[in-house]
Amino acid sequence: MFRRLGAAVLAALLTTTVLAEPAQAAVHNVKDYGAVGNGSANDTAAINRAITAANAAGGGTVQFPSGTYRSPNSIHLKSNVTIQLDAGATIMGASGTGYDPPEDNPWDEYQDYGHSHFHNAMIWGDRLTNIAFVGQGTIDGGGNLITGNPGRGQADKIISLTRCENLTVSGIKLRRGGHFAMLINGCKNVVSDRLTIDTASDRDGWNVISTTNVTITNGNFAGNDDALAFKSDYALGQKLANGNVKVYDTKLSAGCCNALMFGSETCGDFTGYDFQRIDIKGSNKSGLGMVSMDGTNISDVHYRDITISGVRSPIMMKVGARKRCGNNPGVGSIRNITYDNITINGASPSFSPTIHGDQDGRISDVTFTNVKINVPGGNGTMSTNPPSNQRTNYNPNSIGTRPAYGWYIRYADRIRFAGGSGVSFTSNDGRPAVITDNSTDISFDTFGWERGSNSPTDFLFRNTTGFCVRNSGSPRITNTGSTEKCGVSNDFSLTVDPAARTIQPGETAAYAIRTAFTGSPGPISLDAENVPAGAVVQFNPATVNPGDTATMTVATLPDTPEGTSTITVTGTAGSVTKSATARLTIGDAPGELELSGLSVADTGNAGDWSLQTNLRTGVAQYGDRDFTFSAVPAEVAGAQWIRTANDSKSATQNPLARFTINRDAVVYVAVDTRLGKRPWMDALWLDSGLQLVNTEGSPKTFRLYAKGFAAGEVQLGPNGGASNYTVVIK
């Protein structure tokens, strides 16, 4: 289910990624290239020679037989190379100043030093494809890597990879990694199985930054700082997408800080994360932490079957306003998060489980099912007033002592506890079990709780619209400026978010259709009326479960009449029908459009693709041909466009091309009329009726198919024959 703005219009382009196996045409034993493996000789040059040879051969395996390979200089990884560490093999870091210096970074003000520089590492690579670390051996910093800001020639990480694609890490162990055992940024298609990380004496285990399509299984990560963290910073000079991530059957522990964490660096949006069968033992900050500090929107994150012990802050969700990201970020949000079958035993001292949004960025649509949390307790009676909050600080202690020993909730909407969830304490506590502030639709069903002998109340709802406590014993409930909503059974409501949108003709508008319910109304079927002429409406999903969210997408054509319409959205569950309205204005001019981040999977011809401005007659259509445009419709003349490669016409990768738009826009794909609409184009791709003509021998005509996209990444599929398509964006 897609629940973030624009996800529905992208869904048809997303396909299951098949990771290419690293090329293994030959095995290159590092000892054949001069490595000694005795723990004292400098083996770096021999290792780099073996890697270069494997890469030059079109791909291969660089093998490390049993032995200790001292590497006091940086190892330079290359594409299509597998690093194979046999049992008993160790690549060992060294002291001194022989590692590569940090590269300059014009954007280093937006994140910490360690996140801003990548070359000062034991092993690094940039823009690599089909790379792997496999085997049963170890890469060990040897206690020589720096945990703070390194000097010139010092390393602060074991593995550092940027803009990589198709990375496999299997079976090996990383030890004593300095600041990071492994840091990846801007990567795609990552698979990790049976990876062990031991940086309990150093800092971070694995930082996965601005990366998509990740599967981590059977991991065992022990960090001192963050054990496994998902982040998105501005180190590569742009906001990048994050998501489609799975972490299963993994053990985590953290010393000073966080076990499983989102943030604190949070520039680009996160969506589509699935965590299952995770065992967390110890963290002095968050066990399950999630913060949006720099404008990111976090959505569709799901935790299931997780056991946690020895953590100071059991569950921490916060939206802050640090805004440490380029392009003047606003305040982000967190929504559509589920926690199922989770048991947590907190350690002393403890911060209460917390959901703390921001006055400018809410946390919404969070469901807890069978989530049981035990905290140490032991606090006396204290003020129940809202605690202090540092909006620019992500740490659990940025919010003062919570006035509830159990859940403290503020600036949140549609938060549900069900299925036997509850809170308890080990030592008597004088605070309430639950306090909510400035929130809406907060419900507790079959919720367990304990009463401290001196607590003033059990549930305190303050400035909360629509609270409900049912089937949860006989709690003392205090209501201050709040309203109760338990009275009606088998009913539901619809809300549209945002209530109004403005687009240009030919663009697409997306709305979140949120549902709230009481009782058991059953599945809700969605429909729309009063749709503007020349527009098409699609719901994803068309039938939504009560309490869940659907996306309504309204696609228009370039000739759709301008004006304002009020679309009526109806939902039907059994005999109950409810409605809400979505206002759509077609007309006002949008802000300036910016394109960035062009990436082409057809690597052999990618160099002939480029971002262009001012589409007009007389300019070359392709980067690898001399054909020019002889006819350009007025509707797209002057637009930004992508010059493609004619030789990419036979490429089969899907997606073939990716790029990023800074605002909602219409994307036109001009397809050779000998082919027609491409199979990867869903129903929202509309025939605009416009055509481009080129000067190729007998001139070729290209039909423009149009689809609106929300700001973010756009993905396009393959051409499939004849002349390759051209892309126009308005």
Side-chain angles (χ1 to χ4, degrees):
M1 179 179 298
F2 293 89
R3 300 174 189 166
R4 66 186 284 270
L5 182 63
V9 299
L10 292 172
L13 293 179
L14 299 177
T15 60
T16 301
T17 300
V18 179
L19 300 186
E21 290 292 332
Q24 308 230 349
V27 174
H28 301 261
N29 188 319
V30 293
K31 290 191 173 182
D32 294 337
Y33 293 84
V36 180
N38 64 0
S40 58
N42 183 346
D43 286 329
T44 307
I47 295 169
N48 281 329
R49 284 194 293 269
I51 290 173
T52 299
N55 170 261
T61 296
V62 174
Q63 180 188 20
F64 290 77
S66 179
T68 299
Y69 301 85
R70 180 172 171 268
S71 182
N73 314 106
S74 294
I75 295 170
H76 301 147
L77 193 61
K78 296 180 183 293
S79 292
N80 302 317
V81 173
T82 292
I83 301 296
Q84 178 180 307
L85 295 164
D86 293 348
T90 298
I91 302 175
M92 182 67 69
S95 60
T97 57
Y99 293 104
D100 289 351
E103 73 280 24
D104 293 335
N105 189 338
W107 303 289
D108 60 5
E109 66 181 286
Y110 296 112
Q111 55 279 318
D112 294 342
Y113 183 94
H115 291 86
S116 298
H117 305 281
F118 307 100
H119 294 183
N120 49 345
M122 283 183 64
I123 304 171
W124 69 268
D126 180 42
R127 302 182 189 275
L128 306 183
T129 59
N130 301 333
I131 51 179
F133 297 85
V134 303
Q136 303 174 58
T138 299
I139 309 177
D140 190 344
N144 298 305
L145 304 190
I146 307 304
T147 58
N149 293 347
R152 188 174 183 86
Q154 295 178 317
D156 67 348
K157 51 188 76 76
I158 293 177
I159 297 174
S160 171
L161 298 171
T162 49
R163 294 168 282 216
C164 65
E165 187 165 357
N166 300 347
L167 166 66
T168 298
V169 185
S170 178
I172 69 167
K173 184 174 186 178
L174 305 178
R175 294 188 66 232
R176 296 182 288 187
H179 195 163
F180 307 95
M182 182 158 54
L183 182 148
I184 63 175
N185 194 327
C187 293
K188 301 173 183 176
N189 307 337
V190 178
V191 173
S192 171
D193 183 53
R194 296 175 290 109
L195 170 65
T196 298
I197 295 178
D198 180 5
T199 57
S201 61
D202 294 61
R203 288 187 66 180
D204 288 30
W206 189 356
N207 274 208
V208 181
I209 303 177
S210 301
T211 293
T212 57
N213 301 337
V214 180
T215 300
I216 299 172
T217 54
N218 302 302
N220 192 340
F221 307 154
N224 182 34
D225 201 317
D226 296 340
L228 178 59
F230 295 91
K231 303 178 180 180
S232 180
D233 58 28
Y234 208 70
L236 299 180
Q238 58 184 318
K239 297 179 183 180
L240 297 172
N242 307 261
N244 190 23
V245 173
K246 300 175 178 62
V247 181
Y248 299 152
D249 303 297
T250 291
K251 298 178 180 179
L252 303 171
S253 65
C256 80
C257 300
N258 305 289
L260 181 55
M261 184 67 182
F262 282 85
S264 72
E265 291 77 14
T266 43
C267 285
D269 290 347
F270 298 77
T271 187
Y273 287 75
D274 186 22
F275 302 105
Q276 295 190 36
R277 301 179 299 280
I278 310 295
D279 183 17
I280 295 174
K281 286 185 169 61
S283 70
N284 203 39
K285 289 183 182 175
S286 298
L288 301 178
M290 180 182 295
V291 298
S292 169
M293 298 301 300
D294 307 309
T296 188
N297 299 302
I298 304 175
S299 65
D300 286 297
V301 181
H302 308 285
Y303 302 89
R304 177 182 292 275
D305 299 330
I306 297 176
T307 302
I308 302 174
S309 62
V311 296
R312 190 177 184 193
S313 177
I315 294 177
M316 168 73 174
M317 305 175 71
K318 178 178 179 176
V319 175
R322 182 175 62 183
K323 303 182 182 181
R324 192 175 69 172
C325 187
N327 294 329
N328 300 313
V331 177
S333 66
I334 297 174
R335 60 188 176 92
N336 186 22
I337 316 296
T338 62
Y339 298 81
D340 294 276
N341 303 328
I342 297 174
T343 301
I344 303 177
N345 285 295
S348 182
S350 173
F351 294 112
S352 304
T354 303
I355 301 175
H356 199 296
D358 187 85
Q359 56 263 44
D360 298 322
R362 311 283 284 192
I363 297 176
S364 61
D365 301 291
V366 184
T367 300
F368 299 87
T369 304
N370 191 29
V371 177
K372 295 180 171 65
I373 301 176
N374 178 266
V375 299
N379 280 56
T381 303
M382 59 176 287
S383 169
T384 58
N385 290 334
S388 59
N389 174 44
Q390 301 173 42
R391 297 176 73 203
T392 58
N393 188 340
Y394 74 94
N395 286 312
N397 63 6
S398 66
I399 303 171
T401 301
R402 301 354 174 226
Y405 78 80
W407 283 99
Y408 180 68
I409 302 171
R410 190 177 191 188
Y411 298 125
D413 307 304
R414 298 175 297 281
I415 312 298
R416 294 190 294 158
F417 296 84
S421 295
V423 291
S424 60
F425 50 66
T426 299
S427 299
N428 183 47
D429 199 284
R431 296 170 292 173
V434 172
I435 296 180
T436 71
D437 280 309
N438 311 98
S439 297
T440 61
D441 290 335
I442 312 296
S443 64
F444 298 84
D445 195 343
T446 61
F447 185 81
W449 52 275
E450 283 192 273
R451 176 179 298 166
S453 58
N454 296 314
S455 62
T457 189
D458 299 314
F459 289 73
L460 170 58
F461 297 100
R462 187 166 43 210
N463 300 318
T464 297
T465 302
F467 69 86
C468 179
V469 181
R470 70 171 94 207
N471 305 318
S472 302
S474 302
R476 297 168 298 168
I477 297 176
T478 300
N479 168 358
T480 302
S482 303
T483 57
E484 191 266 348
K485 69 163 189 178
C486 290
V488 179
S489 297
N490 298 334
D491 198 4
F492 71 92
S493 62
L494 300 177
T495 56
V496 177
D497 182 17
R501 292 209 62 191
T502 299
I503 61 173
Q504 291 301 295
E507 294 183 345
T508 296
Y511 302 82
I513 310 301
R514 307 190 190 281
T515 66
F517 72 100
T518 58
S520 302
I524 303 168
S525 299
L526 299 174
D527 200 357
E529 299 175 351
N530 304 322
V531 179
V536 176
V537 171
Q538 183 180 68
F539 291 97
N540 184 22
T543 300
V544 64
N545 291 323
D548 286 344
T549 302
T551 298
M552 180 178 74
T553 304
V554 185
T556 65
L557 287 169
D559 59 356
T560 297
E562 296 188 5
T564 299
S565 302
T566 300
I567 301 172
T568 301
V569 181
T570 59
T572 302
S575 60
V576 180
T577 298
K578 294 296 176 70
S579 64
T581 59
R583 190 175 179 85
L584 177 62
T585 298
I586 304 172
D588 291 343
E592 183 178 353
L593 175 65
E594 296 177 6
L595 309 185
S596 62
L598 176 62
S599 174
V600 180
D602 178 21
T603 55
N605 297 296
D608 292 319
W609 292 58
S610 60
L611 300 175
Q612 299 290 322
T613 59
N614 190 18
L615 177 65
R616 62 196 185 279
T617 59
V619 298
Q621 180 179 13
Y622 300 115
D624 57 352
R625 297 289 191 278
D626 294 328
F627 314 143
T628 62
F629 291 117
S630 60
V632 175
E635 291 86 346
V636 295
Q640 299 186 59
W641 60 290
I642 297 176
R643 176 176 287 147
T644 64
N646 186 278
D647 285 344
S648 291
K649 62 189 176 184
S650 300
T652 59
Q653 295 94 331
N654 192 358
L656 172 61
R658 307 167 188 255
F659 60 95
T660 299
I661 52 178
N662 68 318
R663 64 160 174 81
D664 294 1
V666 180
V667 176
Y668 297 83
V669 175
V671 182
D672 194 311
T673 53
R674 292 173 292 176
L675 293 176
K677 188 175 182 181
R678 300 293 72 216
W680 49 267
M681 293 180 174
D682 64 9
L684 296 178
W685 284 95
L686 305 177
D687 185 348
S688 68
L690 305 175
Q691 295 184 149
L692 296 172
V693 182
N694 74 5
T695 59
E696 178 186 355
S698 57
K700 301 300 184 294
T701 301
F702 296 78
R703 192 79 165 181
L704 274 70
Y705 296 89
K707 179 176 177 178
F709 285 83
E713 185 178 81
V714 177
Q715 300 182 4
L716 303 177
N719 186 71
S723 301
N724 196 34
Y725 57 65
T726 296
V727 185
V728 183
I729 306 96
K730 286 197 68 176

